[in-house]
C-alpha cells in the first residue's frame, strides 16, 4: 500500500506489481496526477491535474490503466499528454492536421519529434509503421483530390 499526498487529501493506493508501471505511476503522481486503484476491468485510473479549456470538456480527464504494456513508453501517447506537450513546446511540437473539438496529429510526426527529444523509448517498428501509414493516407488524399484548374496550374508552372 502506498500513501499519496496531493493538494486536496491523502489517498492510499496499492502499488502496481510491475516495477516499470509503478515507476510511471509515481512519476505521474509527482506531476500532479491522482492515481486510484480498483475498478473493472482496468487495474486503476489516473486523474489529470489540469482543469482548463485544453482539457476535455473543461473537466478532469481520466486515463484508465488497462494493462502492463510491453513498452511503457508507448503509453505516454495519450491525447491528454499530447495537449500538454503541445502547450509546453509550442515552438517545436508538430503542427496538428486538424484543430477543433478534437485535435489530430499525424502519428509519424509526433513519434519522430518524441524520438528526437530522446525522452521516450519508442520501438523503431512503430515509427516505421506510422510513417508508412502517413504515406498511404497522403496517396489516398491525392487520388481523391479534384484536378487543379488550368489557370492555377499555369501560375504554378505545372
Amino acid at each position: 500500500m502506498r500513501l499519496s499526498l496531493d493538494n486536496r487529501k491523502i489517498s492510499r493506493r496499492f502499488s502496481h506489481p510491475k516495477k516499470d508501471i509503478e515507476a510511471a505511476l509515481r512519476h505521474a503522481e509527482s506531476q500532479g496526477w491522482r492515481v486510484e486503484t480498483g475498478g473493472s476491468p482496468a487495474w486503476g485510473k489516473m486523474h489529470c491535474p489540469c482543469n482548463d479549456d485544453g482539457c476535455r470538456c473543461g473537466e478532469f480527464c481520466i486515463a484508465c490503466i488497462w494493462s502492463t504494456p510491453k513498452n511503457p513508453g508507448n503509453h505516454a501517447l495519450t491525447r491528454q499528454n499530447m495537449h500538454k506537450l503541445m502547450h509546453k513546446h509550442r515552438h517545436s511540437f508538430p503542427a496538428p492536421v486538424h484543430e477543433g473539438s478534437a485535435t489530430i496529429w499525424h502519428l509519424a510526426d509526433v513519434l519522430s519529434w518524441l524520438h528526437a527529444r530522446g525522452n521516450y523509448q519508442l520501438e523503431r517498428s512503430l515509427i516505421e509503421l506510422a510513417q508508412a501509414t502517413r504515406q498511404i493516407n497522403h496517396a489516398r488524399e491525392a487520388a481523391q483530390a479534384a484536378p487543379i484548374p488550368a489557370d492555377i496550374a499555369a501560375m504554378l508552372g505545372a
Side-chain angles (χ1 to χ4, degrees):
M1 178 108 17
R2 173 170 156 63
L3 290 176
S4 175
L5 176 63
D6 64 17
N7 295 343
R8 296 173 301 261
K9 62 181 180 178
I10 294 177
S11 60
R12 292 179 171 211
R13 71 169 179 83
F14 290 101
S15 296
H16 197 281
K18 299 285 186 178
K19 290 179 187 177
D20 288 345
I21 302 301
E22 180 60 27
L25 294 174
R26 286 184 184 194
H27 176 73
E29 288 172 324
S30 75
Q31 300 300 307
W33 288 75
R34 184 169 44 91
V35 177
E36 291 179 354
T37 57
S40 180
W43 177 86
K45 296 178 182 177
M46 294 189 340
H47 297 264
C48 178
C50 296
N51 192 13
D52 57 26
D53 292 336
C55 191
R56 178 178 47 224
C57 304
E59 298 178 13
F60 289 93
C61 297
I62 300 172
C64 289
I65 304 163
W66 291 101
S67 62
T68 55
K70 177 180 173 185
N71 184 346
N74 290 347
H75 276 241
L77 301 177
T78 64
R79 181 187 54 76
Q80 294 95 339
N81 197 28
M82 291 301 102
H83 275 283
K84 282 185 175 185
L85 289 170
M86 180 179 74
H87 290 294
K88 187 175 180 181
H89 304 282
R90 293 174 198 259
H91 301 292
S92 65
F93 195 77
V97 176
H98 171 78
E99 280 189 279
S101 60
T103 305
I104 301 170
W105 295 268
H106 280 296
L107 181 59
D109 295 339
V110 173
L111 292 177
S112 295
W113 184 82
L114 291 171
H115 181 72
R117 289 179 49 82
N119 295 356
Y120 294 88
Q121 297 175 354
L122 300 168
E123 294 178 19
R124 184 75 197 143
S125 61
L126 178 64
I127 296 170
E128 291 170 356
L129 176 63
Q131 290 170 341
T133 302
R134 180 180 53 190
Q135 289 174 341
I136 291 167
N137 288 337
H138 283 319
R140 232 183 244 159
E141 290 172 14
Q144 294 174 352
I148 299 174
D151 56 335
I152 295 175
M155 288 191 297
L156 297 172

